[in-house]
Every structure is written in structure tokens, then in C-alpha cells.
């Protein structure tokens, strides 16, 4: 077993990669008193600051739903270009959109597209913003490099958004096409068509039916201080053994690795990761990550976030993850979305806390997570 290399010692090329799991996330405002409990939390080496606490994270559909009336239409066309193995989405224009600025009767709209596999795989593209209009013209082609058989398992979601001067997004409507039933040979389907924009009728649930599993073990190691009966701090050891039945997003290609972050810290110094293992849906990592500086009470407030990624060129595609903690919905008195552990994840954490100096092993199903963006 090897100990992880802290993020700040890793290859700088990692900073140039793009994780395409979430469209955006944010941190809570800085607390007047930061939780002193984990201010000395460190990875295998190096210190991690918790001066700011990560809060709720936004979904890939981050923005404001329901505040504006959904109206108007969008004109677009789709075509699969066999020679390039690309899906082309030609976004032409919108008309009669809702006015985000009711006084001046205008919006600053743009169009965002996703390829959704079982509402799970998120390949985001978007047009430029056209300002001060309810009838924007784009004439942009959004391209997806994808094999035809994979494309036929997807849904194409087009949504229209208003972007204000504070970079907040307001939902103006959406259209969704099931590409499994799409007639690709019909020439009429390659022509520009008008589609009525629709309201999102239910909260977005981005869950894939099967994202595979992770076999892992956890151990809490208290560090007794000479002369004191009770240990003041301890280490959490996270042994990532292997993953099983990972989903294939790029045909038969897969090059997976695992990231670990101890929430509420989202700094790069908190992040550790395994090496990438290619050409298998059942990668064996056998990698141990160590975090120290845990007081016993910190175990109630922190959460181990493990995420599995497929590395391709300069992009990391999210496959699934775990959040292991007590799942109370709160951290240091603040309500947070990420303290959402399932019953199986909670059970593993409880066994670890109640059995110090003992490896607690489990095989847990990977699930969709709304990822907190790594802060500086």
C-alpha cells in the first residue's frame, strides 16, 4: 500500500484538467470563528486550512428555477456526422422568451446543452450570451465527440437561461430529446425546427441506475499524548482497494482514478488521489490515504468524499462517488448539502469510529454526487 502524494506536490498539469461533473459550486461566507477542530488537519504531509467552510453545492442545473414564467420557443437542429463521429447541435435562435428584467422587458439569454445518459453523464456545452433581447439569434454549432451506439443511449437536454450582471442564472425553459428513439435517417429531422420551451416540472435527480461499486476499508487511529488518558487527535486511514463494474462512457475505453477530499475542506491541500488504472472496468488501486489532526468530536462533523473519475486527455469525467460520515445534514452547526451519507455509508463510518485501530471493510455502491469545487 502506498501513501498518497498531496495535491500540491502533484504534476501541475492536473490544474489544467477540467472536471465535468458539476457546472458550478460555491462556498459559504467566511465564518467569524472558523472551526478550530480541524485547522491542523493534514494529508500525508502538508497542512490543510479550514478557515472557510464549504457549504451547499449546486447541481449541474445550478440557478434559479420557478421565479420566471416559461414561455417562447427555441429553434435548433441535430445531426450525427459519421465522418467525424460527432453529434452537431445547431442552435439557431429563440423567440418570445420571458423577460428577466420586467421593467425593460428584456433578458440576457444563452442556451446550454447536456448529453444525459440515464440522467447521469453530463457533457455540457453552451452558446454565447446575447444581451438585452427576448429574441436572441445564436447560429452556433455545439459539437460532441461520441460514438453512434453510445449516442443512442443518451438524452439531449437544451435549456435556456438568463445570466445577470452578478453571474446568477435564471431558468427560462427547456426541451429534451430522447436520442434512443430519434430517427437519424429521416432528412426532415436534420432541418431546423421550432420547439416550445417547457417548465421543469420536478426537481432534477441525476442518478444512474448502476455506477459500480467501491471496495474499501477505513481505520481511525487515535494518537495518545504522554501523560494524558484520552487521545487528543487521531488519524483517519482510507484504503481504496478496488472498484467493480464501473460504467463505460467512451465505448470500451476507461482510465479511472479516485479522488479523496475531507469535507468541509475543499482546498487543494485536502485532496489526494490514486494513480489512474486503464483498460478495465474493475480497476485495482490498493492505495491508502492518511489524514491526521482529527479530534474525536471532529468525526461527527467531517465527511470523507471519494469520487471516481475517467481521465481522457485534459478532461476528467465523473463516474460516481461516496460520502462517508454521519449524514446529519450539518457540519459545525451549519446546514450543508454534502452531509448526505446513505445508510450504508453511515454504517461504515459508525463502525470505524466505534472500533479504533481496526480496519473496517465494506463494498459500497457508487452514486451520483453534486461535487464541491476545489478551492485554492
Amino acid at each position: 500500500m502506498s501513501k498518497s502524494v498531496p495535491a500540491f506536490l502533484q504534476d501541475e498539469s492536473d490544474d489544467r484538467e477540467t472536471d465535468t461533473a458539476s457546472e458550478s459550486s460555491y462556498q459559504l461566507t467566511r465564518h467569524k470563528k472558523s472551526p478550530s477542530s480541524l485547522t491542523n488537519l493534514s494529508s500525508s504531509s502538508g497542512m490543510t486550512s479550514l478557515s472557510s467552510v464549504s457549504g451547499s453545492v449546486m447541481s449541474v442545473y445550478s440557478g434559479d428555477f420557478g421565479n420566471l414564467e416559461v414561455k417562447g420557443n427555441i429553434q435548433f437542429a441535430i445531426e450525427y456526422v459519421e465522418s467525424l463521429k460527432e453529434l452537431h447541435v445547431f442552435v439557431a435562435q429563440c423567440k418570445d422568451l420571458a423577460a428577466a428584467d420586467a421593467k425593460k422587458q428584456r433578458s440576457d439569454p444563452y442556451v446550454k446543452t447536456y448529453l444525459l445518459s440515464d440522467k447521469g453523464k453530463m457533457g455540457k456545452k453552451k452558446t454565447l450570451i446575447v444581451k438585452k433581447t427576448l429574441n436572441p439569434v445564436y447560429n452556433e454549432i455545439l459539437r460532441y465527440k461520441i460514438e453512434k451506439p453510445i449516442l443512442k443511449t443518451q438524452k439531449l437536454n437544451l435549456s435556456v437561461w438568463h445570466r445577470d450582471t452578478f453571474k446568477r442564472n435564471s431558468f427560462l425553459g427547456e426541451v429534451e430529446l430522447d436520442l434512443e428513439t430519434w430517427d437519424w435517417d429521416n432528412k426532415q429531422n436534420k432541418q431546423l425546427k421550432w420547439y416550445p420551451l417547457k417548465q421543469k416540472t420536478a426537481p432534477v435527480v441525476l442518478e444512474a441506475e448502476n455506477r459500480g461499486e467501491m471496495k474499501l476499508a477505513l481505520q481511525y487511529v487515535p494518537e495518545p499524548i504522554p501523560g494524558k488518558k484520552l487521545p487528543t487527535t487521531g488519524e483517519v486511514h482510507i484504503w481504496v482497494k478496488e472498484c467493480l463494474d464501473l460504467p463505460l462512457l467512451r465505448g470500451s475505453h476507461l482510465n479511472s482514478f479516485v479522488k479523496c477530499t475531507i469535507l468541509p475542506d475543499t482546498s487543494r491541500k485536502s485532496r489526494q488521489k490514486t494513480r489512474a488504472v486503464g483498460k478495465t472496468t474493475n480497476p485495482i488501486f490498493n492505495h491508502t490515504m492518511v489524514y491526521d489532526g482529527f479530534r474525536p468530536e471532529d468525526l461527527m462533523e467531517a465527511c470523507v468524499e471519494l469520487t471516481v473519475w475517467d481521465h481522457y486527455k485534459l478532461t476528467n469525467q465523473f463516474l460516481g462517488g461516496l460520502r462517508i460520515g454521519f449524514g446529519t445534514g450539518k457540519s459545525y452547526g451549519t446546514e450543508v448539502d454534502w452531509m448526505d451519507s446513505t445508510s450504508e455509508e453511515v454504517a461504515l463510518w459508525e463502525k470505524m469510529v466505534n472500533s479504533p485501530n481496526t480496519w473496517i471493510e465494506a463494498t459500497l455502491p457508487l452514486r451520483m454526487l453534486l461535487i464541491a469545487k476545489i478551492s485554492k
Side-chain angles (χ1 to χ4, degrees):
M1 294 185 296
S2 62
K3 287 193 175 184
S4 177
V5 178
F8 56 86
L9 295 180
Q10 293 167 3
D11 193 317
E12 290 182 358
S13 64
D14 183 63
D15 291 338
R16 295 193 294 270
E17 294 169 359
T18 301
D19 295 340
T20 59
S22 59
E23 199 256 325
S24 61
S25 60
Y26 63 95
Q27 289 192 318
L28 292 178
T29 53
R30 190 175 296 273
H31 285 227
K32 292 181 180 178
K33 292 186 178 180
S34 62
S36 59
S37 47
L38 285 185
T39 48
N40 290 323
L41 172 70
S42 70
S43 51
S44 301
S45 63
M47 305 303 289
T48 296
S49 169
L50 281 189
S51 57
S52 60
V53 180
S54 170
S56 307
V57 294
M58 302 153 96
S59 76
V60 289
Y61 292 98
S62 58
D64 188 3
F65 286 93
N67 287 352
L68 293 175
E69 176 191 5
V70 171
K71 55 183 291 191
N73 299 270
I74 181 171
Q75 187 188 45
F76 67 92
I78 66 173
E79 180 180 3
Y80 187 76
V81 183
E82 296 280 359
S83 60
L84 299 175
K85 297 189 182 304
E86 287 183 352
L87 170 67
H88 288 188
V89 183
F90 179 56
V91 182
Q93 58 186 319
C94 298
K95 67 179 179 180
D96 302 327
L97 295 176
D101 186 337
K103 186 176 180 180
K104 296 183 179 180
Q105 281 296 297
R106 66 190 190 189
S107 294
D108 295 339
Y110 69 98
V111 177
K112 186 161 54 174
T113 64
Y114 284 96
L115 275 182
L116 306 178
S117 173
D118 292 326
K119 299 269 184 173
K121 179 179 182 287
M122 290 150 287
K124 183 190 69 174
K125 309 284 183 182
K126 58 185 178 181
T127 68
L128 296 175
I129 298 169
V130 180
K131 295 193 173 185
K132 302 179 182 179
T133 180
L134 302 181
N135 301 286
V137 176
Y138 299 102
N139 289 332
E140 290 188 47
I141 297 177
L142 305 179
R143 295 174 169 86
Y144 290 90
K145 195 81 173 179
I146 186 170
E147 299 284 345
K148 188 89 171 272
I150 302 299
L151 181 64
K152 289 182 178 181
T153 68
Q154 314 266 316
K155 288 182 171 61
L156 175 65
N157 179 281
L158 293 91
S159 52
V160 185
W161 298 80
H162 161 75
R163 179 89 155 185
D164 69 14
T165 53
F166 299 103
K167 296 185 177 181
R168 292 175 302 202
N169 298 314
S170 296
F171 179 73
L172 299 178
E174 72 170 14
V175 175
E176 192 163 285
L177 300 181
D178 187 345
L179 302 184
E180 184 178 5
T181 59
W182 189 260
D183 186 353
W184 296 97
D185 297 324
N186 188 338
K187 293 183 179 180
Q188 293 296 319
N189 280 343
K190 299 178 182 180
Q191 304 300 315
L192 284 171
K193 291 183 183 179
W194 285 101
Y195 296 82
L197 291 168
K198 297 180 180 180
Q199 179 69 56
K200 190 168 293 298
T201 56
V204 177
V205 179
L206 295 168
E207 285 289 347
E209 291 179 3
N210 180 21
R211 290 183 169 270
E213 298 176 309
M214 182 185 295
K215 187 175 181 180
L216 74 163
L218 300 184
Q219 180 179 210
Y220 178 59
V221 182
E223 298 173 336
I225 304 299
K228 294 186 179 181
K229 293 183 179 180
L230 297 175
T232 56
T233 62
E235 294 180 345
V236 171
H237 296 208
I238 303 156
W239 180 4
V240 178
K241 296 187 175 184
E242 60 183 310
C243 289
L244 307 168
D245 300 323
L246 293 178
L248 288 170
L249 303 184
R250 295 183 288 117
S252 61
H253 303 287
L254 191 64
N255 188 34
S256 59
F257 66 96
V258 178
K259 287 183 188 178
C260 181
T261 302
I262 304 294
L263 300 172
D265 189 3
T266 57
S267 71
R268 290 192 177 276
K269 292 180 181 179
S270 167
R271 186 183 68 185
Q272 302 184 47
K273 67 179 183 179
T274 70
R275 73 191 188 285
V277 177
K279 300 181 180 179
T280 177
T281 57
N282 300 283
I284 296 174
F285 299 104
N286 221 15
H287 189 113
T288 299
M289 306 174 189
V290 177
Y291 291 85
D292 62 20
F294 275 89
R295 301 187 310 183
E297 54 265 38
D298 296 328
L299 297 173
M300 294 295 298
E301 312 295 343
C303 175
V304 174
E305 182 179 85
L306 291 162
T307 51
V308 187
W309 302 80
D310 175 26
H311 177 69
Y312 179 63
K313 295 183 179 179
L314 292 179
T315 300
N316 296 328
Q317 177 67 55
F318 178 71
L319 299 178
L322 306 170
R323 286 206 186 102
I324 306 170
F326 280 116
T328 60
K330 291 185 177 181
S331 175
Y332 299 103
T334 300
E335 290 189 6
V336 291
D337 285 355
W338 48 260
M339 192 62 100
D340 63 349
S341 300
T342 65
S343 57
E344 293 174 287
E345 293 164 351
V346 171
L348 174 58
W349 191 251
E350 286 180 339
K351 289 178 184 177
M352 181 204 74
V353 172
N354 295 329
S355 307
N357 298 305
T358 304
W359 283 108
I360 308 299
E361 184 176 313
T363 300
L364 300 177
L366 297 168
R367 59 190 176 96
M368 185 64 206
L369 301 177
L370 304 178
I371 308 297
K373 183 178 286 186
I374 295 296
S375 59
K376 297 297 184 183

